[in-house]
Amino acid sequence: MALHPDRLLPAEPGIRAIARRLYDGVAGLPIVSPHGHTDPVWYAEDPAFPDPAALFITPDHYATRMLYSQGVRLEDLGVARRDGTGVRPDGRRIWRLFAEHFHLFAGTPTRLWFEHSLELVFGIDERLTPQNADALYDRIAAAIATPALRPRALYDTFGIEAIATTDGALDDLAHHDAVRRSGWHGRVLPTYRPDAVVDPEAAGFAGNVERLLAMTGEPATWAGYLAAHHARRAFFKAQGATASDHGHPSAQTSNLPADEAAALFDKVLSGKADAAEAEAFRGQMLTEMARMSQDDGLVMQLHPGSFRNHNPSLFEAFGPDKGADIPKATDYVRALKPLLDAVGNDPALTLILFTLDESTYSRELAPLAGHYPALRLGPAWWFFDSPEGMRRFRETTTETCGFYNTVGFNDDTRAYLSIPARHDMARRVDCAYLARLVADHRLDEAEAHDLARDLAYGLAKKAYRL
Amino acid sequence: MALHPDRLLPAEPGIRAIARRLYDGVAGLPIVSPHGHTDPVWYAEDPAFPDPAALFITPDHYATRMLYSQGVRLEDLGVARRDGTGVRPDGRRIWRLFAEHFHLFAGTPTRLWFEHSLELVFGIDERLTPQNADALYDRIAAAIATPALRPRALYDTFGIEAIATTDGALDDLAHHDAVRRSGWHGRVLPTYRPDAVVDPEAAGFAGNVERLLAMTGEPATWAGYLAAHHARRAFFKAQGATASDHGHPSAQTSNLPADEAAALFDKVLSGKADAAEAEAFRGQMLTEMARMSQDDGLVMQLHPGSFRNHNPSLFEAFGPDKGADIPKATDYVRALKPLLDAVGNDPALTLILFTLDESTYSRELAPLAGHYPALRLGPAWWFFDSPEGMRRFRETTTETCGFYNTVGFNDDTRAYLSIPARHDMARRVDCAYLARLVADHRLDEAEAHDLARDLAYGLAKKAYRL
Amino acid sequence: MALHPDRLLPAEPGIRAIARRLYDGVAGLPIVSPHGHTDPVWYAEDPAFPDPAALFITPDHYATRMLYSQGVRLEDLGVARRDGTGVRPDGRRIWRLFAEHFHLFAGTPTRLWFEHSLELVFGIDERLTPQNADALYDRIAAAIATPALRPRALYDTFGIEAIATTDGALDDLAHHDAVRRSGWHGRVLPTYRPDAVVDPEAAGFAGNVERLLAMTGEPATWAGYLAAHHARRAFFKAQGATASDHGHPSAQTSNLPADEAAALFDKVLSGKADAAEAEAFRGQMLTEMARMSQDDGLVMQLHPGSFRNHNPSLFEAFGPDKGADIPKATDYVRALKPLLDAVGNDPALTLILFTLDESTYSRELAPLAGHYPALRLGPAWWFFDSPEGMRRFRETTTETCGFYNTVGFNDDTRAYLSIPARHDMARRVDCAYLARLVADHRLDEAEAHDLARDLAYGLAKKAYRL
């Protein structure tokens, strides 16, 4: 059951040998994690992690959605109901339930990340079964009580060089400030994520904007609102941020004349905007954010195309982020045009695009990124943060936009222990891809070594200005 | 020319050895065929098959469409014109024409199914050519006159454990009844396919509904119409049905208030509904059928996304199902939402989704099936019932929804002799996929053996409640 | 660095051996180039090529777009501004800049074409670097001054049997005429490309139509306009043309009654047509062109789905064809229906379809081409004229429409020196695909040899009626 040293490398012996050499050159590189969702309090206060279920199962929507799809109730996995009802099972019960259903994860990245973490962090090289569930639970529980498993120690164990969190525009970044003031050597960067004050359809939008304006002392006008964003971005930047992040339903952008934008702002703030106006406002704000990036140098990231909270009864009972966000067909060519017309030719701007619609890679994204100086492609994301997903990403983009219009790997996770597993997977899959190009005589091995280092380390650092 | 024992297994020797071991474990498993279009009269009356052309060519739209695309006239393949004109060639002439064009099938599954059947059923391991066409015709014609080639004997020869047919809602299921009453050991199940009484755009819709109501003694009201479906489903279930099947132009669903649904029913019955209303009615009926499945336990299957009878002059001359049904882009995320909002969280319901738009596998279908307890994914279907199609199905779904949100293989065929060939192909391709995961160290070989058995046999039996 | 004899063939030794044998059988076949954009003056006047940058870089939008995407200015690559401003660098400076950025092309077909040309035409087997840039520039510059590097000599060196150019409807084909009158043995065919007189949104449309009518002595009526096309097609055919080519924003077709078509013609000519009417007119003209093809036998090619000149500031500064044409999602099933209803069942017509939206291959194009006698699929085009693109083309079409509904390779290039490199790549990739089918026992090697010859040579000759 133990992790095989050649896992995820091509099985054909000749190609595997090349891939192995490439991988050996990057396996030990530091981890640069420019986009993710770990909790900054971990770095600020260095707490022990709670029990194994809370560490591996309950907060991981990849894990809970699979069990839910097969009839397991979320309550039984420790997911809290919004109304507070329901008995919350203890960690051991959740862990046993997970063990009973562990076969469901065969062939999924969740299984690979989980087993990587078990072995490399806890020294466990047995497959989880109902029979050994209790014993493994005890071993993990004992280990996470030790100082070596605290977040700051793991930061070093994992070889992290820098890690970004994702933070709302209204966040006071107190934990980031505490990290900096603590003198600890770790580098933890906030990321400006203004969705809650940008999306008129977000819960509490008007109140959020009110708070934004109050925090910055700006008036409730279009100019004041933009100035407030400027100020918050400056604050984030002062706390180390190098990037902003934008999760929108679509990639729609707008570039309205200032008076129309101002009128639209008034309307969305009044709560009277319809869906099309909300979409136009979000789109306008992407263009505004891109212009602010031209000024302040924050790298901009756009993650469109998820139908959030597709399951209303689940959303009502448990809230967002419970595995019911479903990708949808996404257009970039028409949608991004207003923004690109305005700023796409600026090589000083970096706008990183992600997708959940793989058909766009070869059709739209690689052609766009292979032309516009401002565009780069983010790595395979979410459901495609997987061996086949990453392979298809390279196969459908490289020939059109090359490697240097991509930005290395994002782990994009809130599961701290999975970070080395995810980076390791990406490094292996990229080395496998490069090895196939070498074996086909499309690349020399020497340049493949350089590319492997760039894909594993250099491109992320450069694209995110770290 | 003889069938190679390792056909369709990966060519790299190390992976092939794994695949071979996996395949050896499933090659002899019984065939469970939960969805298909064989003629129930075969099982009821056990007739001899007609001549070789009528067995292999004339009724097979995969075969006739390819020849038609290269300029062969359908009349010359024995396809009858609706108006009765035209001289129908004898079987031997059709067979010779097929032999002359046999090279067109290089690289297609039709060729693989055909050669598998020739060798395993008739012991013919020569490639069909114009030179040997007559001799092969004679051998096949002689064989199908023998008792060993009758449907019931082949049922045993093929190792079939259960086989479902597809039957209109108005069908009296007399053949199924005859099979049951005959005492024969074969298991032949009807499937409730109500399209002709559900789709306002189907030929003769109003008359069909009238017959449905007459058969069940229900009034021509929305409530009566639903009660009639209930009654027919109960009748099908009593005859062994475990599933319903729905072939719709799109995956659109609706969930209207009862009074609106009733008004819509009146309108579609009056023949005054427009295309949007027809679509809404079909969508409403999918949700109603799902609710009935919650009651009676029939597994529900949805096959959307085909533009039926795309070629009007061909349709006029020859009728439906002549190879002119063309897939189109299909949305599931928005389309299924009304149904899923109503019943998607019920683990007791099974709704199996199929697609002809592969881009939906990774983008929509695997994420939906990996979340909703009621959803499962049907196998690669129609044009994708092929080695590459099946491979892409696994590669684009497994990482997101695993193996256990899929339902094994459907042969979906009216070509009885091809059934073992089709199941064998699916088993080989799935074993090839699993072997690659083992060779990459993503799976252990032991669990791959279990998975191979589930994909070949267990999942179909379980999903279809057989 | 030298070209490996097994480049682009599968790395697994057993499959490579098969692929090698297949490739050996086609490597030396003549080049049939039925669709491309070389300049007919080359064949008429046999001039020396200018400097290396003008040969390899400045006119190649694959090269310039990649450098532009990474911040290099088009002016610095020698691309002329429309307004004549800017200092145009000399060829050596451009070449050095290209050498500095050559790593960007790792993994792209541009790199493979370039290195193939360097080695086979100039005997250079070093990788281009900033260090050797000047030396290579000098070698190439010296070589292109010699008679052996003139277009007519290269025609023979490259083994070209026939090559088509692409020519506007108003072109006098003087160079083609000169070639024919010269007695030179090369076969250079014009292709009728009427976009500028068919697309109401083309620059100068009304004036173009006026010239068309003047050239043919036809009146400015719908009937006159159609007669003018007839006449120009006859003229092209007399100069050797066997095909027409149509680059449209979408695949939309129309089939209006004659009076409506005539009224639409009047409207688009008046300049008062809106976008929908322009689209309808382009669509009508596709159907008209198909009807004319039924009469005169010209093979029809349709290249839809590019959003031309997506970058308006670049377009304004530099004009069209500078790398800012971006593919978009393309529908064929509904769009082609009016045309197919009219002429799709005619086996005497050949309409070759191309796509920039790969999702349509398995969903729409292969099913359509596998049914309609008039349809064939063009090869992987533009961004997909690449090893992975060609592989995916075969994998997503062959199982549904076979090999014989495809038409061999098009190089589609204006880069004369890349022609052998492009055909060689296609031959290698097709042999690799066939070898995998042989290794999987889906084909016999003997028939794979025949198929390889058809894909490399026979199908192009037959489909384009050469």
Side-chain angles (χ1 to χ4, degrees), chain A residues 12 333-334 337 341 345 362-363 367 369-373 376 395 399 404-405 439-442 444 447, chain C residues 1 4 7-8 13 16 65 68-70 109 111 127 310-313 327 357-358 386-389 391-392:
Chain A
E12 196 281 315
V333 175
R334 288 177 193 80
K337 198 164 186 319
D341 285 356
N345 289 294
S362 69
R363 184 179 63 219
H371 168 68
Y372 283 100
R376 295 290 182 273
E395 289 181 355
E399 295 183 325
Y404 289 97
N405 284 306
D440 277 4
H441 308 288
R442 287 188 257 177
D444 291 329
E447 55 186 342
Chain C
M1 301 289 175
H4 194 284
R7 64 194 181 279
L8 298 173
R16 178 166 286 182
R65 75 192 307 277
Y68 184 74
S69 79
Q70 290 279 319
R111 147 88 171 262
R127 175 133 311 135
H310 191 267
N311 188 336
S313 58
D357 176 358
E358 294 185 300
S386 65
E388 303 291 345
R391 174 180 61 78
R392 290 195 298 267

Side-chain angles (χ1 to χ4, degrees), chain A residues 30-47:
Chain A
I31 287 176
V32 171
S33 173
H35 178 106
H37 300 275
T38 58
D39 192 334
V41 74
W42 296 340
Y43 313 106
E45 301 183 1
D46 203 30

Side-chain angles (χ1 to χ4, degrees), chain B residues 1 4 6-13 16 65-66 68-71 103-104 106-109 111-112 127 307 310-314 322-324 326-329 356-359 383-384 386-389 391-392, chain C residues 12 15 332-334 336-337 340-341 344-345 347 359 362-364 366-376 391-392 395-396 398-405 433 436-437 439-444 447 451 462:
Chain B
M1 302 288 174
H4 194 284
D6 289 336
R7 64 194 181 279
L8 297 173
L9 302 183
E12 196 281 315
R16 177 166 286 182
R65 76 192 307 276
M66 177 67 90
Y68 184 74
S69 78
Q70 289 279 320
H103 63 286
L104 300 178
T108 72
R111 145 89 170 260
L112 301 174
R127 174 134 311 135
F307 191 129
H310 190 267
N311 188 336
S313 58
L314 189 106
K322 295 300 174 289
I326 308 291
K328 54 188 180 183
L356 291 168
D357 176 358
E358 293 185 300
S359 72
F383 296 116
F384 307 123
S386 65
E388 303 291 345
R391 174 180 60 78
R392 290 196 297 268
Chain C
E12 196 281 315
I15 313 179
Y332 293 87
V333 175
R334 288 177 193 81
L336 291 175
K337 199 164 186 317
L340 292 172
D341 286 357
N345 289 293
S359 71
S362 69
R363 185 180 62 221
E364 304 179 25
L368 286 166
H371 168 68
Y372 283 100
L375 292 184
R376 295 291 183 273
R391 174 180 61 78
R392 290 195 298 267
E395 288 181 354
T396 54
T398 307
E399 295 183 325
T400 295
C401 73
F403 292 103
Y404 289 97
N405 284 306
Y433 175 71
R436 284 190 291 269
L437 297 190
D440 278 4
H441 308 287
R442 287 188 257 177
L443 281 182
D444 290 330
E447 56 187 341
L451 282 163
K462 185 176 170 211

